[in-house]
């Protein structure tokens, strides 16, 4: 997300650009939007964006229906030829009751479905198109506006104005956002970006070594999530802010420190269970670039590559830190996700045994063993 140079509007107007997948080259799919802070606080503008365009962006990446709604071309709120991700409607004005009344009116009128024939021919992006709907102003001077990929669409705006939306008694404005993706002719899923919010989810609740969340490990699938590679954890907050230029659930890139990938390290126990540590691996720049390329080409599964283990793993601690490891891309448990790469080999004497031998549960887990609490 970035604030773009302002193209129009005053000091309370912000032009924004979202790039869900910055590694796609040379044509990076993105969508632009603008938002106005009705108060003097830019945080209000940010909130309005997050609840509309931002919600659609998150839903584009997660695709679980938690952040925004999905509509197929044939649905009541759908648009022929397009898969639609639609946010809720956000209102901001001088009266709470009028805010709610215009919110409901904009939802009830089903704007995009009713005026679809005025703008669908101008949806040019083969990836996704951003559509903003805005209605607001003073009584007697209301503005209806539809923006396609950041640009005002005159025909769609005029068609919306003709829908006879109610006027408020005091200044009120409402906005909502939609992302439109080309719908496949066979009725299947649209071609979503390769990037998602994170890697494939683990079946167990994962904890770090000093978990304070109050939850419990799964007795049959214990796992521990190590939040940072030790090289990054050792940085001061100031150094971390200055050096880390990319930090996601899956990857960290820190200038002068290294490139790190979140990986799965399985430790077999003598009672048939496997403890899964989500740890960090240090990778050379060329290696991590190939990993990213294979994610987008969907060829990561089965690919083997080398790195260094960048966490101390209890109960062996720092004895396995910096151990050389061989990683292999794993299939995901659900469609569209990216599986964790797994540590499958190590030339390090101790870590090789950790991976290949079965270890007593009491030694590996001790009082962390969730079966003790279950009993």
């Amino acid at each position: 997300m970035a604030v773009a140079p302002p193209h129009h509007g005053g000091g309370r107007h912000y032009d924004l650009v979202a790039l869900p997948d910055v590694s796609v080259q040379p044509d990076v799919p993105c969508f632009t939007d603008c938002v106005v802070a009705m108060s003097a606080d830019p945080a209000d503008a940010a909130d309005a964006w997050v609840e509309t365009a931002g919600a659609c962006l998150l839903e584009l990446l997660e695709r679980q229906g938690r952040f925004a709604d999905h509509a197929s071309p044939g649905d009541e709120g759908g648009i022929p030829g397009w898969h639609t991700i639609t946010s809720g409607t956000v209102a901001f004005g001088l009266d709470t009751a009028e805010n709610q009344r215009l919110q409901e009116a904009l939802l009830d009128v089903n704007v995009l479905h009713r005026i679809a024939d005025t703008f669908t021919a101008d949806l040019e992006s083969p990836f996704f198109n951003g559509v903003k709907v805005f209605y607001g102003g003073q009584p007697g001077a209301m503005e209806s506006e539809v923006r396609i990929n950041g640009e005002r669409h005159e025909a769609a705006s005029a068609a919306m104005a003709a829908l006879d939306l109610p006027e408020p008694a005091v200044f009120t404005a409402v906005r909502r956002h939609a992302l439109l993706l080309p719908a496949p002719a066979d009725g299947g899923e649209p071609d979503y970006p390769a990037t998602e919010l994170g890697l494939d989810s683990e079946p167990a609740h994962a904890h770090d070594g000093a978990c304070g969340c109050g939850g419990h490990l799964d007795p049959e699938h214990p796992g521990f999530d190590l939040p940072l590679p030790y090289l990054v954890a050792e940085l001061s907050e100031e150094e971390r802010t200055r050096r880390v230029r990319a930090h996601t659930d899956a990857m960290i890139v820190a200038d002068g420190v290294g490139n790190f990938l979140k990986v799965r390290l399985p430790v077999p126990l003598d009672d048939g269970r496997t403890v899964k540590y989500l740890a960090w691996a240090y990778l050379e720049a060329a290696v991590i670039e190939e990993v990213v390329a294979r994610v987008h080409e969907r060829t990561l599964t089965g690919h083997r590559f080398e790195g260094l283990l960048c966490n101390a793993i209890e109960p062996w601690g720092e004895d396995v830190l910096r151990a050389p490891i061989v990683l292999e891309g794993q299939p995901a448990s659900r469609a569209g996700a990216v599986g964790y790469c797994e540590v499958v080999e190590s030339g390090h004497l101790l870590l090789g045994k950790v991976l290949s031998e079965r270890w007593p549960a009491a030694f590996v887990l001790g009082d962390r063993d969730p079966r003790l609490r279950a009993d």
Side-chain angles (χ1 to χ4, degrees), residues 58-66 70 192-196 336-337:
L58 291 173
E59 187 59 33
L60 177 71
L61 301 181
E62 194 194 55
R63 308 151 204 169
Q64 302 296 313
R66 291 198 305 141
H70 291 254
Y192 289 112
T195 301
E196 291 193 298

Side-chain angles (χ1 to χ4, degrees), residues 172-331:
T172 312
V174 291
R175 61 171 273 152
R176 69 183 312 195
H177 200 92
L179 289 181
L180 276 58
L181 293 76
D186 61 5
E189 287 288 298
D191 187 14
Y192 289 112
T195 301
E196 291 193 298
L197 287 182
L199 289 171
D200 195 18
S201 58
E202 288 293 302
H205 182 88
H207 299 248
D208 62 24
C211 180
C213 72
H216 298 286
L217 293 170
D218 186 320
E220 303 309 314
H221 304 282
F224 299 92
D225 191 348
L226 307 179
L228 291 172
Y230 86 96
L231 288 173
V232 176
E234 287 183 341
L235 297 175
S236 67
E237 287 295 329
E238 181 181 356
E239 278 285 280
R240 198 177 302 169
T241 300
R242 184 171 67 86
R243 291 182 178 273
V244 174
R245 58 184 175 88
H247 187 176
T248 70
D249 291 340
M251 189 178 301
I252 295 175
V253 177
D255 291 334
V257 181
N259 312 292
F260 307 95
L261 182 71
K262 197 68 165 289
V263 301
R264 183 168 57 206
L265 190 156
V267 177
L269 302 182
D270 60 0
D271 59 10
R273 294 179 294 170
T274 298
V275 181
K276 294 179 180 178
Y277 292 85
L278 295 183
W280 293 89
Y282 170 89
L283 304 181
E284 295 289 345
V287 176
I288 203 165
E289 287 173 5
E290 182 176 6
V291 169
V292 171
R294 285 181 174 272
V295 167
H296 295 295
E297 295 165 0
R298 303 187 187 277
T299 59
L300 183 60
T301 301
H303 173 61
R304 289 198 171 198
F305 53 100
E306 297 180 355
L308 298 175
L309 183 62
C310 229
N311 288 106
I313 304 296
E314 297 301 333
W316 303 275
E318 294 188 1
D319 289 342
V320 296
L321 186 61
R322 306 181 189 88
I325 52 178
V326 177
L327 296 141
E328 182 175 300
Q330 302 296 311

Side-chain angles (χ1 to χ4, degrees), residues 46-121:
D47 289 343
W49 187 90
V50 166
E51 294 179 38
T52 52
C56 290
L57 171 61
L58 291 173
E59 187 59 33
L60 177 71
L61 301 181
E62 194 194 55
R63 308 151 204 169
Q64 302 296 313
R66 291 198 305 141
F67 300 105
D69 295 326
H70 291 254
S72 298
D75 292 344
E76 181 180 355
I79 295 173
W82 298 87
H83 180 92
T84 307
I85 298 174
T86 312
S87 75
T89 300
V90 174
F92 32 94
L94 300 177
D95 182 83
T96 301
E98 289 294 79
N99 286 347
Q100 183 174 351
R101 187 167 74 92
L102 258 67
Q103 279 179 301
E104 294 174 352
L106 195 66
L107 289 171
D108 291 344
V109 80
N110 201 0
V111 174
L112 294 182
H113 175 78
R114 291 180 61 182
I115 68 171
D117 60 347
T118 66
F119 66 84
T120 50

